[in-house]
Amino acid sequence: MTALPDPPMSQRAAPKSRPKPKSAAGTSATAPVVRGSRATGRVTIIDVAAEAGVSAMTVSRALKTPALVQEQSRQRILEAIARLGYLPNQAASTLASARSQVIAVLVPSLTNAVFIETLSGIRDYLAGAGYQFLIGETGYVRDKEEQLISTYLAHAPAGFLLSSSEQHEILNKRPGSRDIPAVRMFDLGRSQHDFSVGFSQTRAGHAVARHLVERGYRRPAFLAAQLDPRMMKRREGFRKGLLEAGIVPDIEVLLPEPTTVDMGAQLLRRVLEQHPDCDSVFCCNDDLALGALFECQRQGISVPAQMAIAGFNDLSWAACATPSITTVVTPRYDIGYKSAEMLVRQLKGEDIAKGRLDLGFELAVREST
């Protein structure tokens, strides 16, 4: 590839002369004067060009395709950059290319271990693919989801990683979002053209119901909080499993508040007050399951002889509880990693045969059932 010569000196705009600053003693100082835009004080590519005695176009070419610039000019530009402390403006580069190297990620919570592990998977894949990511915490609030998506769209992200079908619907309704690829995490899409990575929440709930029935429990309860769509799909599968076994799913407590361990204890107390014949509970996550276990221990209820307890997600301490807690093992890290991989493949224009990637789940049967 042949380097392009700089334009003749007669065609260049002569750099403006800069008066040398005076030292405290009145003598001339030799340090260069650092200039910048009036608005921000930031050193610009024009400043670098003037310092190096070349055009702004030559500086831009040296940064993006240095092989097209003569060695002597490149050296002057590098020296000017070092003297002025110039940093290339990534935002300007994004505007010029109409594509950034940033992925927007929306998750409900940054304190929930489930989503932290998913973010770890996203981080590990994107780090090797040359992308950065912005994290938005939605708090399960639709208004906040809409606000975050609109804000990120204004920054022209390369793509989105979303944590619910509702967020996908919000994105699709926004102007200018049609050509921005997105992958939904945790929930599965309806077809291979609806890019998604996760597992069936409904089948997971169904598996817990079948397990409790097979163990001989006949008065199971469903305990849930937060009540996001994934929770309700677990409930749907659980109820279906009980109905198939001829059991009426008439014991449940549903609260819209965020889940806590203490809430698990409260929910179990409420169930036992209203349904003293309840012999088992399926808690929509492990926090509630641990709280239910603590409440059984406070009331002297033997687990699993008098009360069976099942949770969801298999958080790190579930196997360490006494008794250990039966729970659904979810592939949280892999969901993040595979979702990021699927999105980057879209960005590269690769053909994706399976746009609906079901990673499955496992039921870890332990002492609590």
Side-chain angles (χ1 to χ4, degrees), residues 2-316:
T2 304
L4 301 179
D6 289 334
M9 289 298 295
S10 61
Q11 297 180 15
R12 299 181 197 160
K16 297 179 180 180
S17 60
R18 298 189 301 277
K20 295 182 179 180
K22 298 293 184 178
S23 67
T27 58
S28 296
T30 58
V33 176
V34 178
R35 294 172 294 170
S37 70
R38 292 181 179 179
T40 65
R42 182 188 180 103
V43 177
T44 69
I45 197 169
I46 297 175
D47 298 329
V48 174
E51 182 75 14
V54 298
S55 67
M57 182 179 295
T58 301
V59 175
S60 177
R61 187 181 295 131
L63 293 173
K64 295 181 179 179
T65 52
L68 298 180
V69 179
Q70 290 182 337
E71 175 64 28
Q72 184 178 8
S73 298
R74 288 205 309 269
Q75 188 59 38
R76 292 204 309 272
I77 291 169
L78 290 174
E79 292 172 355
I81 288 173
R83 286 196 299 270
L84 299 180
Y86 172 70
L87 294 174
N89 190 328
Q90 180 62 42
S93 176
T94 295
L95 290 174
S97 64
R99 174 173 291 184
S100 72
Q101 293 297 108
V102 175
I103 304 297
V105 182
L106 269 64
V107 293
S109 171
L110 293 178
T111 59
N112 190 320
V114 172
F115 303 111
I116 292 174
E117 291 183 34
T118 301
L119 290 172
S120 296
I122 293 171
R123 175 203 61 201
D124 289 351
Y125 184 83
L126 293 182
Y131 286 86
Q132 302 295 324
F133 64 106
L134 296 173
I135 305 172
E137 183 181 29
T138 68
Y140 298 94
V141 178
R142 185 177 179 86
D143 288 346
K144 193 168 183 181
E145 291 174 339
E146 293 179 347
Q147 178 186 3
L148 284 168
I149 288 173
S150 296
T151 300
Y152 287 154
L153 281 173
H155 289 79
F160 279 86
L161 291 173
L162 306 171
S163 54
S164 72
S165 57
E166 288 73 17
Q167 292 172 8
H168 215 156
E169 292 173 1
I170 294 171
L171 176 63
N172 290 337
K173 292 178 181 178
R174 290 294 184 272
S177 66
R178 182 178 299 274
D179 296 328
I180 299 179
V183 174
R184 185 163 75 247
M185 304 179 290
F186 301 104
D187 279 331
L188 292 173
R190 296 182 179 180
S191 70
Q192 297 295 343
H193 303 291
D194 186 5
F195 294 104
S196 60
V197 178
F199 60 95
S200 172
Q201 305 279 342
T202 305
R203 288 204 302 270
H206 187 272
V208 175
R210 289 188 57 182
H211 170 67
L212 293 178
V213 170
E214 289 170 358
R215 290 297 170 98
Y217 298 101
R218 291 296 178 265
R219 293 293 285 157
F222 180 71
L223 307 184
Q226 198 63 69
L227 306 187
D228 63 84
R230 287 184 295 276
M231 300 287 191
M232 302 312 288
K233 289 179 180 179
R234 294 168 202 169
R235 173 179 178 259
E236 175 188 346
F238 185 68
R239 290 173 63 87
K240 181 180 179 182
L242 295 183
L243 288 170
E244 290 174 353
I247 298 175
V248 178
D250 59 347
I251 308 177
E252 59 182 22
V253 183
L254 311 177
L255 293 180
E257 289 83 4
T259 62
T260 63
V261 172
D262 182 61
M263 181 178 289
Q266 295 176 32
L267 295 181
L268 182 62
R269 284 198 299 269
R270 184 180 302 186
V271 163
L272 292 177
E273 289 170 0
Q274 299 174 359
H275 303 277
D277 60 337
C278 174
D279 61 5
S280 54
V281 290
F282 172 34
C283 302
C284 70
N285 63 30
D286 287 343
D287 288 341
L288 296 184
L290 183 62
L293 177 60
F294 286 160
E295 184 61 24
C296 285
Q297 292 169 346
R298 275 193 289 267
Q299 294 194 29
I301 300 172
S302 175
V303 178
Q306 295 173 282
M307 177 69 67
I309 299 173
F312 201 97
N313 280 321
D314 191 30
L315 298 184
S316 58

Side-chain angles (χ1 to χ4, degrees), residues 318-340:
C320 302
T322 305
S324 56
I325 297 175
T326 292
T327 185
V328 175
V329 183
T330 55
R332 302 180 291 275
Y333 177 90
D334 289 343
I335 286 174
Y337 192 94
K338 291 295 185 180
S339 295

